[in-house]
Amino acid sequence: MDPYRLPRVVIPTRYDIRLEPDLTTLTFRGEETIAVSIEEPVGEVVLNAVELAIDEAVVVDGRGREQRAIVRLDEAAERCHLTFAEPLATGSGRLRLSFRGTLNDKLRGFYRSVYKDPGGVTRTMAATQFEATDARRALPCWDEPAFKAVFSVTLAIDPALTAVSNTRVLSEVSEGDRKVVRFADTITMSTYLLAFVVGELEHTEPSRVGDTPLSVWCVPGKRRLAAFGQEIAVASLRYFEDYYGLPYPGDKLDLLAIPDFAAGAMENLGAITFRETALLVDEQAASHAELQRVADVVAHENAHMWFGDLVTMSWWNGIWLNEAFATFMEMLAVDAWKPRWQRWVAFGVSRAAALTVDGLHSTRPIEFPVRAPREADAMFDVLTYEKGASVLRMLEQYLGPEVFRQGVRDYLRAHQYANADTGDLWAALGQASGQPIPAVMDAWIFAPGYPLVSVGVEGDEIVLRQQRFAYLPAPLRWWGAGPAASAGSGRWQVPVQLRVTAGGRDTVERVLLAEPEIRRPLPAGFESVVANEGGHGFYRVRYDDGLRARLLGRLPTLGAIERFNLVNDAWAVTVAGLMPATDYLELTARFRDERDKNVWSVLLGSFHALNRLVTPADRPKLEALVRDRVAPALAALGWTPQPGEDELTRQLRGDLIRALGTLGNDAEVQARTVGLYADHERGTATVDPNVLPALIAVLAHAGDEGRYHEFFERFRTARTPQEEQRYLYALTAFRQFPLVEQTLARTVNGEIRTQDAPFVVRTLLMLVHAREPAWDFVKKQWDTMDRLYPKHGLRRMAEGVIGLATPELEADVHRFFQERRVDLGGKTLEQYLEQLRVAVTLRERDGAALSAYLARF
Ligand code: BES
Ligand code: ZN
């Protein structure tokens, strides 16, 4: 028997819950009556509970007989066992429980969040975060996604406060010194989607989408930052009702910004919670990247109202059905809302992140066995989200968007208010398309890795071959290596779209590369071939030298995603040792005229990676190379926006200034930044919101102690969540050792919220000037961080070790994790260590050649 799965002999159908949180004592009391179906005459009922005291449990069984239970809590298993003197008669029964708990500060379960009101006074509110397995910290319940039930929630609160839950308020009455708020019944749904928020909350004027009122909620004083989030919330909800062909399943929709929030946002039905940066924004003062972030997160959570909330995966191994779909739908909705943002081109960056992790031997298939809660937590990674969404995009393009949508609609209709598995989705898509979906799709979901498609000209043929892509020749051997690294068949059915240019004409051909190799005749007047036409495929392409040269000679004829993939795949092939690093650097010289921000982000990303592994002596030369590549593009764009210029170009300007002023260490850019920022502060210059964040980063990179204190104050007194983030991350960029030390100290002393601190440390670990002190600090403070940070914190922070790309640091990283027997859940740590190995291998293999190449700068 799996100790992490509850027996299915007593099944909940309805919960009537009353909770009484006390924000002064930071505790809560609760009572619940759970209607259950007793399937067999059992003497014991097992449900989930953790860090709760259960004062009383009484059952009424199928024959109406009442019994008190003996309650035993098993904290390790996160369960409570109720035992009865007499076996329960089958039929419909009721369970009544009274319990108590604390409003914790770990941002999980029922927790407290602290913030300053506009007068600077510290205030407390209460909120919930239940996914994946923390509903059991707020109430005893059958805390598995397949135990769907109806929830009726009542919150008894301080009359000065406001309460929000998943549904509309039915009544509000005063009882003694409490205000008692009763909410309408929810739809039949999973426990992890329940939410309660209690505090001094403000909300916007509701918008209406059909019959659904939609509002944004925040702590007092921030309502002026709600309009943009509300706008995309309305637009995306409309979009989804239309796409899914089903009405929004709730009776109202509230979006709530919570000052302390572990994840980015959470799709509680009707009461979506967000960290403030992901919902509240000043549209006039924000950069394109900051606005896109808000639009993305809002659209993503709204997409979940159907994918996740209405139809839910049966178990956590299928979480991709939630998260990959929400991510895919987020792109569709944002793209429909702001076509000028070219959201699918920017998605290349996400796809690239998935290709990176999935190129490791320690990767995992998208669907992967899950038992314990920490394994469920480890599923929320780039493979679930970004690989999953990439694979869906590839399938959508392969089947055609209309056919794909029809399959999705059928799937949702067939499984609404219930649970589903990947096979159910395949069945619906198979019906809609008439295609053998499992044959095409199973390897993408159930096997690890992805193909490298090699394209070459041999004689009078174009030859395509597939093999699994891997950065390292063999799996990493290390002390914690799990069962033999994930091996797949190494063969996929790859939907390849070829664009062949011959005699000045383009022809697009779709082929399903199902065999190790296929051949196509070379047409007369052959000029060039693009293998991943349109760029939607989840695979890499390696062109032979001749074909690559032809493409580099005609870059302007390629789409932005195609140029993105060309650079990204060339870099990956270089890191894997299949192309000399110096050839890659030569290739980057062909992109000085590039104007797409995403293509630039791959180029800049590779320069950052190189900066982490070149010797200190070569670093100034790498800076010169960066200036050589980037400066012409900025010179062409200029420092001030042209009238009518789109937001992508404006964002690119900011990105280039930042790169030149930091990685390029460009003295001229740094000097100009000082002047411009000073003028901006004095109000004598208006700086584009896309440029301002870059100026802050450049000033920090070249800044001294005075500037550090100035920026720390700006962080503390920021007027928007985005401004707060800009100044917070700027603190990581100051290069003097004592300033690095100050920032590190602030990650554990309460000055930086625990929701942000792990990410700040991760950033420091990835920066050459800070990584060694940061690593020393992490080693010393590991236990403290483990105690302070929310549960995903250490996992996110530890990703920074990838930046410790020297053989000595790598050895030390292994030593530390081995001694401490660190487990970050799933394959997380293995993947970080393998990425570190990949970087050090590149250094060892190509270091001398790189050094010789850089000598010319
Ligand atoms: N369901 C997740 C929130 C979540 C993440 C819960 C991890 C438990 C563990 C939510 O829908 C989500 O995916 N949020 C993302 C943002 C999104 C735009 C990718 C997040 O929190 O980063
Ligand atoms: Zn999600």
Side-chain angles (χ1 to χ4, degrees):
M1 245 248 320
D2 183 343
Y4 298 104
R5 301 296 286 269
L6 295 170
R8 299 196 64 94
V9 284
V10 177
I11 295 170
T13 56
R14 177 186 173 88
Y15 294 73
D16 284 274
I17 305 161
R18 179 191 156 107
L19 287 171
E20 201 170 323
D22 185 332
L23 295 181
T24 54
T25 59
L26 303 176
T27 59
F28 61 90
R29 288 193 297 147
E31 271 160 40
E32 60 181 344
T33 301
I34 311 174
V36 293
S37 164
I38 303 163
E39 312 276 307
E40 285 167 37
V42 282
E44 184 187 60
V45 174
V46 189
L47 61 164
N48 295 113
V50 63
E51 288 176 19
L52 291 174
I54 297 178
D55 296 320
E56 185 177 47
V58 176
V59 74
V60 178
D61 71 9
R63 268 201 237 102
R65 194 174 45 183
E66 188 169 305
Q67 289 185 72
R68 262 183 89 103
I70 298 173
V71 180
R72 181 169 65 84
L73 286 167
D74 180 348
E75 288 288 323
E78 305 187 354
R79 291 169 161 209
C80 90
H81 295 253
L82 310 179
T83 31
F84 302 98
E86 302 287 330
L88 305 183
T90 57
S92 304
R94 275 194 324 273
L95 198 60
R96 209 176 65 237
L97 294 151
S98 314
F99 51 95
R100 282 171 292 131
T102 49
L103 297 169
N104 70 76
D105 63 355
K106 296 295 298 270
L107 321 189
R108 68 197 297 199
F110 204 2
Y111 71 93
R112 61 186 192 259
S113 172
V114 179
Y115 61 96
K116 292 222 161 58
D117 71 12
V121 180
T122 299
R123 302 276 176 180
T124 304
M125 64 185 284
T128 53
Q129 169 60 40
F130 288 170
E131 195 178 19
T133 58
D134 289 328
R136 62 190 69 171
R137 292 170 185 275
L139 58 143
C141 59
W142 275 259
D143 196 15
E144 295 179 12
F147 286 109
K148 286 198 172 189
V150 170
F151 298 86
S152 155
V153 174
T154 300
L155 294 170
I157 61 172
D158 179 332
L161 304 179
T162 303
V164 177
S165 186
N166 303 84
T167 52
R168 292 189 196 211
V169 173
L170 280 186
S171 67
E172 221 180 82
V173 295
S174 112
E175 273 180 29
D177 64 347
R178 300 258 112 185
K179 176 162 84 180
V180 177
V181 187
R182 251 188 81 212
F183 297 90
D185 284 2
T186 67
I187 62 166
T188 302
M189 66 177 202
S190 308
T191 47
Y192 78 90
L193 294 169
L194 269 172
F196 326 118
V197 182
V198 177
E200 287 175 82
L201 302 169
E202 287 184 1
H203 66 89
T204 59
E205 191 58 39
S207 305
R208 275 189 183 269
V209 178
D211 293 336
T212 310
L214 184 157
S215 312
V216 172
W217 295 72
C218 54
V219 298
K222 299 200 174 171
R223 218 170 8 184
R224 66 193 164 84
L225 303 173
F228 182 83
Q230 183 150 345
E231 201 187 316
I232 173 62
V234 168
S236 58
L237 203 69
R238 283 212 179 97
Y239 180 87
F240 294 136
E241 288 198 324
D242 178 58
Y243 184 97
Y244 296 133
L246 281 171
Y248 165 68
D251 65 358
K252 58 93 179 169
L253 181 53
D254 291 318
L255 295 86
L256 304 109
I258 313 292
D260 292 286
F261 196 80
M266 178 63 212
E267 67 268 27
N268 315 300
L269 183 73
I272 306 177
T273 43
F274 296 78
R275 63 168 61 198
E276 290 186 336
T277 46
L279 180 61
L280 304 177
V281 66
D282 176 347
E283 190 173 358
Q284 299 312 315
S287 69
H288 168 71
E290 290 161 347
L291 291 170
Q292 186 186 277
R293 170 75 183 154
V294 172
D296 281 353
V297 182
V298 170
H300 176 103
E301 304 311 332
N302 271 354
H304 273 310
M305 299 298 112
W306 292 260
F307 255 103
D309 294 8
L310 183 62
V311 179
T312 312
M313 72 278 151
S314 305
W315 181 247
W316 301 107
N317 64 329
I319 188 65
W320 84 281
L321 291 170
N322 276 11
E323 297 301 348
F325 249 100
T327 303
F328 169 79
M329 295 303 304
E330 156 200 339
M331 300 300 140
L332 284 186
V334 172
D335 190 44
W337 187 52
K338 294 264 156 109
R340 290 202 319 177
W341 286 6
Q342 299 186 40
R343 192 60 189 83
W344 281 111
V345 179
F347 181 70
V349 177
S350 302
R351 186 188 294 109
L355 289 166
T356 297
V357 174
D358 208 26
L360 303 172
H361 295 286
S362 53
T363 186
R364 62 169 179 85
I366 289 181
E367 260 204 51
F368 191 62
V370 172
R371 284 159 38 102
R374 67 195 286 81
E375 294 169 358
D377 293 336
M379 291 294 277
F380 293 85
D381 68 357
V382 56
L383 297 164
T384 290
Y385 283 76
E386 280 80 13
K387 181 180 180 182
S390 302
V391 163
L392 288 172
R393 177 62 163 173
M394 183 166 68
L395 180 61
E396 182 219 30
Q397 295 292 304
Y398 178 68
L399 299 178
E402 300 292 320
V403 170
F404 182 85
R405 185 183 63 184
Q406 192 55 50
V408 168
R409 288 181 169 192
D410 296 345
Y411 165 84
L412 288 175
R413 223 163 253 105
H415 304 286
Q416 55 184 335
Y417 307 109
N419 298 82
D421 301 302
T422 298
D424 298 318
L425 179 65
W426 288 175
L429 289 167
Q431 274 289 323
S433 65
Q435 301 247 20
I437 303 294
V440 180
M441 291 308 293
D442 276 354
W444 299 100
I445 303 296
F446 297 107
Y450 57 86
L452 172 67
V453 176
S454 302
V455 189
V457 172
E458 290 177 13
D460 54 2
E461 288 177 318
I462 300 174
V463 184
L464 303 178
R465 295 195 178 89
Q466 63 160 311
Q467 73 193 85
R468 181 169 170 189
F469 176 84
Y471 289 103
L472 294 176
L476 191 62
R477 303 216 148 270
W478 61 298
W479 49 274
S486 53
S489 68
R491 182 141 9 129
W492 289 262
Q493 299 211 7
V494 193
V496 175
Q497 279 185 205
L498 293 174
R499 186 171 69 244
V500 178
T501 309
R505 277 200 22 243
D506 289 347
T507 353
V508 175
E509 192 191 346
R510 293 156 164 260
V511 292
L512 196 63
L513 174 57
E515 301 303 318
E517 176 183 308
I518 58 169
R519 290 168 179 266
R520 284 285 177 279
L522 200 64
F526 172 75
E527 289 167 63
S528 68
V529 57
V530 175
N532 188 358
E533 195 267 341
H536 306 297
F538 190 75
Y539 54 89
R540 295 192 191 278
V541 180
R542 177 192 183 197
Y543 296 100
D544 71 17
D545 291 344
L547 290 177
R548 185 184 317 111
R550 284 165 185 266
L551 289 176
L552 288 171
R554 35 188 301 137
L555 285 175
T557 69
L558 302 189
I561 307 190
E562 294 167 348
R563 297 196 304 279
F564 179 97
N565 287 343
L566 189 66
V567 180
N568 189 49
D569 291 348
W571 172 240
V573 162
T574 302
V575 176
L578 302 171
M579 177 172 148
T582 48
D583 285 10
Y584 173 76
L585 287 180
E586 275 300 293
L587 176 146
T588 64
R590 311 291 287 268
F591 286 83
R592 292 192 186 95
D593 296 328
E594 179 61 55
R595 292 293 176 273
D596 181 85
K597 73 177 178 71
N598 305 298
V599 180
W600 270 112
S601 90
V602 199
L603 293 162
L604 297 173
S606 66
F607 298 150
H608 275 285
L610 286 171
N611 189 45
R612 286 191 280 267
L613 48 87
V614 296
T615 60
D618 282 341
R619 211 154 270 137
K621 296 175 206 155
L622 183 64
E623 291 169 355
L625 175 134
V626 170
R627 293 195 294 272
D628 175 75
R629 303 301 195 252
V630 182
L634 180 60
L637 280 184
W639 279 58
T640 38
Q642 302 305 304
E645 193 177 71
D646 64 31
E647 46 268 75
L648 300 187
T649 309
R650 291 171 183 240
Q651 181 65 57
L652 174 62
R653 176 180 295 108
D655 296 349
L656 297 179
I657 291 173
R658 180 193 297 250
L660 272 175
T662 60
L663 198 56
N665 210 14
D666 187 318
E668 222 177 285
V669 167
Q670 289 165 354
R672 191 159 175 182
T673 297
V674 171
L676 194 53
Y677 185 78
D679 290 347
H680 169 77
E681 289 292 280
R682 271 196 302 271
T684 54
T686 38
V687 175
D688 183 78
N690 297 286
V691 170
L692 187 58
L695 300 186
I696 293 166
V698 173
L699 288 175
H701 181 82
D704 58 9
E705 194 172 348
R707 186 72 83 182
Y708 183 92
H709 293 305
E710 177 192 337
F711 280 13
F712 182 68
E713 276 316 298
R714 297 297 299 264
F715 158 67
R716 285 200 328 109
T717 56
R719 289 180 343 269
T720 68
Q722 289 70 26
E723 191 177 273
E724 184 184 292
Q725 294 286 301
R726 294 173 191 170
Y727 286 106
L728 171 58
Y729 284 91
L731 299 181
T732 67
F734 287 86
R735 285 179 292 168
Q736 294 88 330
F737 178 74
L739 302 179
V740 173
E741 295 274 273
Q742 280 191 45
T743 306
L744 285 166
R746 296 189 150 122
T747 62
V748 290
N749 72 0
E751 287 180 298
I752 298 174
R753 286 182 191 276
T754 60
Q755 66 170 8
D756 296 319
F759 298 97
V760 170
V761 179
R762 179 176 72 178
T763 303
L764 288 163
L765 286 167
M766 312 252 334
L767 289 167
V768 165
H769 69 268
R771 63 185 173 185
E772 292 184 42
W775 173 238
D776 283 337
F777 187 81
V778 165
K779 285 190 288 183
K780 284 201 205 83
Q781 301 291 333
W782 186 267
D783 290 331
T784 307
M785 291 168 161
D786 195 15
R787 189 160 41 75
L788 292 176
Y789 294 170
K791 67 177 168 180
H792 294 283
L794 285 187
R795 180 155 62 87
R796 298 274 157 81
M797 177 186 79
E799 190 178 10
V801 304
I802 296 167
L804 302 173
T806 73
E808 300 75 29
L809 285 168
E810 184 194 18
D812 195 48
V813 166
H814 277 262
R815 233 177 352 256
F816 177 76
F817 286 131
Q818 176 171 14
E819 258 165 38
R820 308 296 303 252
R821 309 209 162 278
V822 168
D823 178 3
L824 298 174
K827 286 169 163 275
T828 309
L829 182 55
E830 256 180 283
Q831 290 167 358
Y832 295 166
L833 294 176
E834 189 176 345
Q835 278 171 276
L836 179 54
R837 183 91 283 270
V838 169
V840 177
T841 304
L842 174 60
R843 175 194 183 108
E844 287 166 344
R845 188 183 54 228
D846 287 11
L850 276 170
S851 195
Y853 182 91
L854 289 173
R856 70 174 84 154
F857 288 93

